[in-house]
Amino acid sequence: MDVSGGRGQPRPGNDESAEHTGPEAPAPGGTGDAPTAPSAPTPADAKDARPEGPTPDAGAPAPESGTPQDTGAAPDHGPPAHGRDRAPEHPEPPADRPARAPAGRPEHPDHPFAHSGSGKGQAPQRPEERRRGGLLMGRPFGVPVYVAPSWFLVAILITWVFGGQIDRVLPELGAASYLVSLFFAVAFYASVLVHELAHTLAALRFKLPVRRIQLQFFGGVSEIEKEAETPGREFVLAFVGPLLSLVLAGLFYLGLLAVDPGSVPGVLLAGLMVSNLIVAAFNLLPGLPLDGGRMLRAVVWAITGKPMTGTVAAAWVGRALAVCVLIGLPLLTQSGALGSDAVDNVGMDTVLDALLAAILAAIIWTGAGNSLRMARLREHLPELRARTLTRRAVPVESDTPLSEALRRANAAGARALVVVDADGVPVSLVREAAIVGVPEHRRPWVPVGTLAQDITDGMRVSAELAGEELLDALRATPATEYLVVEETGEIYGVLSAADVERAFVKAMARPS
């Protein structure tokens, strides 16, 4: 809901404030892409009215700064319109008049400045932005490719298992069979990388930004930051990965025809052919977070016209697949249906098969749940609007004593201080953390200019920003407070990163 405070000179306005939430647990990241909430300053779900006589005590400011996993599946996943660098054509009001107070912005009648920890704040970040990606291997097409530490574990496992098979087929190799097996592990993950690059190229073709590609324990993931705009594009984006795996399997088969199947190249080509067929078949299973699940989502989306309906359907099919894998894979292996001899008693192989099935089932189940959470996040993101989250601000000159500035803020019901020059041009924002660090008896002797942070271009955000554009603007320039301006350059108020964090967590907590 976009509640405007009107245009023209900064002035006191409506004071029906938005609902303000208190501390909540951070919402987990979804299919690849949401933030941690810092300790929040305000009473939970308190609706604020216009203050009549709040105390001048200041609190602290914004927080301290700060996919589905599958074998080759691509997960779900504009610059801000900054105001002009100078103040509006009309001069700012006198220092005792607050900047515009839009309806719906969070206010606190009893505490004009919220308590929220240290001043080294940072804009909300998705969990995967805080995690390290692993070892950077390169940037094909400008997209960083990381190898997660878990890949080295699976490389050792593949080397050990496949090396034993090579030793049985080519016993003359001896210990060298494990070197051949290690080469196979690297070549297999190179095939997975090709699978992921197919998703990446399709995403870039559709103008969808890709944050990174990561090779992990059970394959790889392409972290695509935006949703496809149409179900047709979603289908293509998901299908190109398995298609490339099938193409690779065909190429390895053609190569196999040209060599001796009993030679080292023959064994390697046969293994790569089979493994790529398995990757393609596995990812075509119709459940999120697999590529087949995204294809199913696209089909349901096209039929119903609702992307959320497609996500819910594909996610629950994914959870059903997880149960089938957990129960069915050990039974198929034990019965010999997958090509091995039937097993009547429980041995180490049976235990390993059950463990593998449990890991695969957990990955699919978790990925399906993450897809639902990310869909809910994208559904609620438009609710995050700079205009409704902005705090009323009072303009003061840099030599104004802190106690006087706080008195003016209390009188105006404002919760932020903007330092302006003699012409009324905003030059810096007073940090709430710095205010908290000043004892009350010292405040009459401390000028607000010593507690302010200079306003950079990135700290000016448009009042029209909302959703992902707002989060992108805040992540691009981490700070505790931002100057919110109209398209004309007029001061609209001050946006606290802490308020955005709380609104983000609240949106994630609401059911779809």
Coordinates of all heavy atoms in Angstrom, one line a residue, residues 86-88 90-95 395-400 418-428:
R86 N 21.0 17.7 -4.5 CA 20.8 18.8 -3.7 C 19.3 18.9 -3.2 O 18.5 18.1 -3.7 CB 21.1 20.1 -4.5 CG 22.5 20.3 -4.8 CD 22.8 21.6 -5.5 NE 22.4 22.7 -4.7 CZ 23.2 23.2 -3.7 NH1 24.4 22.7 -3.4 NH2 22.8 24.3 -3.0
A87 N 19.0 19.8 -2.3 CA 17.7 19.9 -1.8 C 16.8 20.4 -2.8 O 17.2 20.9 -3.9 CB 17.7 20.8 -0.5
P88 N 15.5 20.5 -2.6 CA 14.5 21.0 -3.6 C 14.8 22.4 -3.9 O 15.5 23.1 -3.2 CB 13.2 20.8 -2.9 CG 13.5 20.7 -1.5 CD 14.8 20.1 -1.3
H90 N 12.8 24.8 -3.5 CA 12.4 25.6 -2.4 C 13.3 25.3 -1.2 O 13.7 24.2 -0.9 CB 10.9 25.3 -2.0 CG 10.0 25.4 -3.2 ND1 9.7 26.6 -3.8 CD2 9.4 24.4 -3.9 CE1 8.9 26.4 -4.8 NE2 8.7 25.1 -4.9
P91 N 13.6 26.3 -0.4 CA 14.5 26.1 0.8 C 13.8 25.2 1.8 O 12.6 25.2 1.9 CB 14.8 27.5 1.3 CG 13.6 28.3 0.8 CD 13.2 27.8 -0.5
E92 N 14.6 24.6 2.6 CA 14.1 23.7 3.7 C 13.4 24.6 4.7 O 13.8 25.8 4.9 CB 15.3 23.0 4.4 CG 15.8 21.9 3.5 CD 14.9 20.8 3.3 OE1 14.0 20.6 4.1 OE2 15.0 20.1 2.3
P93 N 12.5 24.1 5.5 CA 11.9 24.8 6.6 C 12.9 25.1 7.7 O 14.0 24.5 7.7 CB 10.8 23.9 7.0 CG 11.3 22.5 6.7 CD 12.1 22.7 5.5
P94 N 12.6 25.9 8.6 CA 13.5 26.2 9.7 C 13.7 24.9 10.5 O 12.9 23.9 10.4 CB 12.7 27.2 10.6 CG 11.7 27.8 9.7 CD 11.4 26.8 8.6
A95 N 14.8 24.9 11.3 CA 15.2 23.7 11.9 C 14.2 23.1 12.9 O 14.2 22.0 13.3 CB 16.5 23.9 12.6
P395 N 15.2 18.5 10.2 CA 16.4 19.1 9.7 C 17.0 20.0 10.8 O 16.3 20.8 11.4 CB 16.0 19.9 8.5 CG 14.5 20.2 8.7 CD 14.0 19.1 9.6
V396 N 18.3 19.9 11.0 CA 19.0 20.7 12.0 C 20.4 21.1 11.4 O 20.9 20.4 10.6 CB 19.2 19.9 13.4 CG1 17.9 19.7 14.0 CG2 20.0 18.6 13.1
E397 N 20.9 22.2 11.9 CA 22.2 22.6 11.5 C 23.3 21.9 12.3 O 23.0 21.4 13.4 CB 22.4 24.1 11.6 CG 21.5 24.8 10.6 CD 21.7 26.3 10.6 OE1 22.5 26.8 11.4 OE2 21.2 27.0 9.7
S398 N 24.5 21.8 11.8 CA 25.5 20.9 12.4 C 25.9 21.4 13.8 O 26.4 20.5 14.6 CB 26.8 20.8 11.5 OG 27.3 22.1 11.3
D399 N 25.8 22.7 14.1 CA 26.2 23.2 15.4 C 25.1 23.1 16.4 O 25.3 23.6 17.6 CB 26.8 24.6 15.3 CG 25.8 25.5 14.7 OD1 24.7 25.1 14.2 OD2 26.1 26.8 14.6
T400 N 24.0 22.6 16.1 CA 22.9 22.5 17.0 C 23.2 21.5 18.1 O 23.6 20.4 17.8 CB 21.6 22.0 16.3 OG1 21.3 22.9 15.2 CG2 20.4 22.0 17.3
V418 N 18.3 15.1 10.3 CA 19.1 15.3 9.1 C 19.8 16.6 9.3 O 19.2 17.7 9.6 CB 18.1 15.4 7.9 CG1 18.9 15.7 6.6 CG2 17.3 14.1 7.7
V419 N 21.2 16.6 9.1 CA 22.0 17.8 9.2 C 22.0 18.5 7.9 O 22.3 17.9 6.8 CB 23.4 17.4 9.6 CG1 24.3 18.7 9.7 CG2 23.4 16.7 11.0
V420 N 21.6 19.8 7.9 CA 21.5 20.6 6.7 C 22.5 21.8 6.8 O 22.9 22.2 7.9 CB 20.1 21.1 6.4 CG1 19.1 20.0 6.2 CG2 19.6 22.0 7.6
D421 N 22.9 22.3 5.6 CA 23.8 23.5 5.7 C 22.9 24.7 5.8 O 21.7 24.7 5.9 CB 24.7 23.5 4.4 CG 23.9 23.6 3.1 OD1 22.7 23.9 3.1 OD2 24.5 23.3 2.1
A422 N 23.6 25.9 5.6 CA 22.9 27.2 5.7 C 21.8 27.3 4.7 O 20.8 28.1 4.9 CB 23.9 28.3 5.7
D423 N 21.9 26.7 3.6 CA 20.9 26.8 2.5 C 19.8 25.7 2.6 O 18.9 25.6 1.7 CB 21.5 26.7 1.1 CG 22.5 27.8 0.9 OD1 22.2 28.9 1.4 OD2 23.5 27.6 0.3
G424 N 19.8 24.9 3.7 CA 18.9 23.8 3.8 C 19.1 22.6 3.0 O 18.3 21.7 2.9
V425 N 20.4 22.5 2.5 CA 20.7 21.3 1.7 C 21.2 20.2 2.7 O 22.1 20.4 3.5 CB 21.9 21.6 0.7 CG1 22.3 20.3 0.0 CG2 21.4 22.7 -0.3
P426 N 20.6 19.0 2.6 CA 21.0 17.9 3.5 C 22.5 17.5 3.2 O 22.8 17.2 2.1 CB 20.0 16.8 3.2 CG 19.5 17.1 1.9 CD 19.5 18.5 1.7
V427 N 23.3 17.4 4.3 CA 24.7 17.0 4.1 C 25.0 15.7 4.9 O 26.0 15.0 4.5 CB 25.6 18.1 4.5 CG1 25.5 19.3 3.6 CG2 25.4 18.5 6.0
S428 N 24.3 15.4 5.9 CA 24.7 14.2 6.7 C 23.5 13.7 7.5 O 22.5 14.5 7.7 CB 25.9 14.4 7.6 OG 25.6 15.5 8.5

